[in-house]
Amino acid sequence: MNLLLLLVALSFSEAVPLQGAAECQPQSRPWHARLGRSCSGALVDPRWIVTSFACAPLSSNITAALGDHDVSVAEGTEQHIDTDLTVLHSPYRSPPFHSLAMVRLAKPARFNQYVQPIPLPSRCPQPGETCRVSGWGSTVPNQDESPKRLKCISVPVVDDRTCRELFPMHWSHGMVCAGQVDGTNCLDDRGAVMECGGQLQGIQWYSFGCSNPPDPSTYSRICQYTRWMRDVMRNNSPTSAPTTTRPPTTPPSSVKGGAEGVQPVQGAL
């Protein structure tokens, strides 16, 4: 029994942020992916990463980094894999009603202690529930920063009514927001990943907590997109020719196909 309690305590200690600089415990987020210099995503399958609309690769020549913690050094835990397909959720508006994209890896990730997928949610996050957000962005409000090591913050989920009242012009039913007045709400990574109870529950949409510290930030409510995500992965198997879907210049209802003749996958909650 004492050994079991010790293992549980060690597991918890690896999952919480380090004190002070909001640095994550190294390798405590084995599903966290890096897309380019300022974007993140979450590995949900050996071939698939979910990220935000803003972080969706517009070409197939970017490389995703898995198992990374300190981007300034080679740690020997990284896997660098090219991407070959991006599927954007529709409709495409400004701002989009949905801020989500699925990115396919050109070859499967190798699962080990440093690289593991995060489970999709079996429920939706509840108000007051404490979640953890990770990313490589700044944690200092109104200050640009390019941190070398993965950052983590802990935030409580805020009820939808409060969020609608705070952000009437930016609120969508596909959002969840999290943060607290007297806490750290800022992690300015356009694809920052929110995990609650060991499940993927959010991908950052707007980092309001970085421009006004008392405000919570908003995230795509992943529990409402699980069917779309599974459909994308099932309907875009790697046996097809690599390509990239791009947003049309007008809403999908008025076009027959996507850019360059590619039909985008239609999103549905």
Side-chain angles (χ1 to χ4, degrees):
M1 179 61 72
N2 290 336
L3 178 59
L4 177 60
L5 292 175
L6 176 61
L7 291 174
V8 171
L10 288 173
S11 176
F12 179 77
S13 69
E14 292 177 355
V16 297
L18 294 172
Q19 296 298 315
E23 180 187 339
C24 298
Q25 288 284 353
Q27 314 309 329
S28 65
R29 296 288 182 268
W31 33 260
H32 199 105
R34 183 164 55 90
L35 297 168
R37 295 183 60 185
S38 59
C39 279
S40 292
L43 184 71
V44 295
D45 178 88
R47 297 292 294 254
W48 290 93
I49 293 169
V50 60
T51 188
S52 67
F53 186 97
C55 286
L58 295 180
S59 66
S60 60
N61 61 356
I62 79 156
T63 300
L66 306 171
D68 208 352
H69 176 72
D70 188 331
V71 301
S72 66
V73 298
E75 300 167 284
T77 60
E78 305 92 339
Q79 295 180 36
H80 296 96
I81 306 175
D82 291 340
T83 64
D84 66 1
L85 176 70
T86 298
V87 181
L88 298 166
H89 198 294
S90 60
Y92 311 102
R93 307 231 178 137
S94 182
F97 281 120
H98 306 285
S99 178
L100 215 57
M102 296 290 289
V103 181
R104 192 177 71 187
L105 300 174
K107 64 179 182 179
R110 303 185 309 277
F111 292 164
N112 53 38
Q113 68 183 94
Y114 309 111
V115 176
Q116 288 286 332
I118 185 171
L120 294 180
S122 58
R123 59 173 180 83
C124 289
Q126 300 301 307
E129 178 179 5
T130 298
C131 300
R132 287 144 296 278
V133 180
S134 53
W136 273 280
S138 174
T139 54
V140 181
N142 300 302
Q143 180 175 319
D144 290 333
E145 181 188 5
S146 297
K148 296 178 180 179
R149 298 173 180 174
L150 190 64
K151 297 290 190 74
C152 284
I153 60 173
S154 294
V155 290
V157 175
V158 179
D159 65 278
D160 289 354
R161 179 178 178 180
T162 298
C163 294
R164 284 195 299 267
E165 292 174 350
L166 283 171
F167 315 118
M169 300 299 294
H170 298 279
W171 181 252
S172 164
H173 67 283
M175 285 181 176
V176 61
C177 64
Q180 54 191 334
V181 172
D182 57 350
T184 299
N185 301 330
C186 176
L187 208 173
D188 196 10
D189 180 328
R190 293 175 295 168
V193 180
M194 185 170 77
E195 167 264 323
C196 312
Q199 298 181 345
L200 176 63
Q201 293 287 6
I203 297 292
Q204 190 174 100
W205 199 324
Y206 293 115
S207 56
F208 291 116
C210 289
S211 55
N212 187 31
D215 284 346
S217 291
T218 57
Y219 305 83
S220 291
R221 190 187 297 265
I222 297 298
C223 63
Q224 296 185 197
Y225 293 93
T226 54
R227 186 181 68 179
W228 174 76
M229 294 169 66
R230 290 190 175 105
D231 285 347
V232 169
M233 290 187 284
R234 183 179 61 252
N235 296 331
N236 294 274
S237 66
T239 56
S240 58
T243 186
T244 299
T245 63
R246 300 173 185 271
T249 55
T250 56
S253 59
S254 62
V255 297
K256 294 182 180 180
E260 301 178 357
V262 178
Q263 178 65 43
V265 174
Q266 299 300 305
L269 297 182

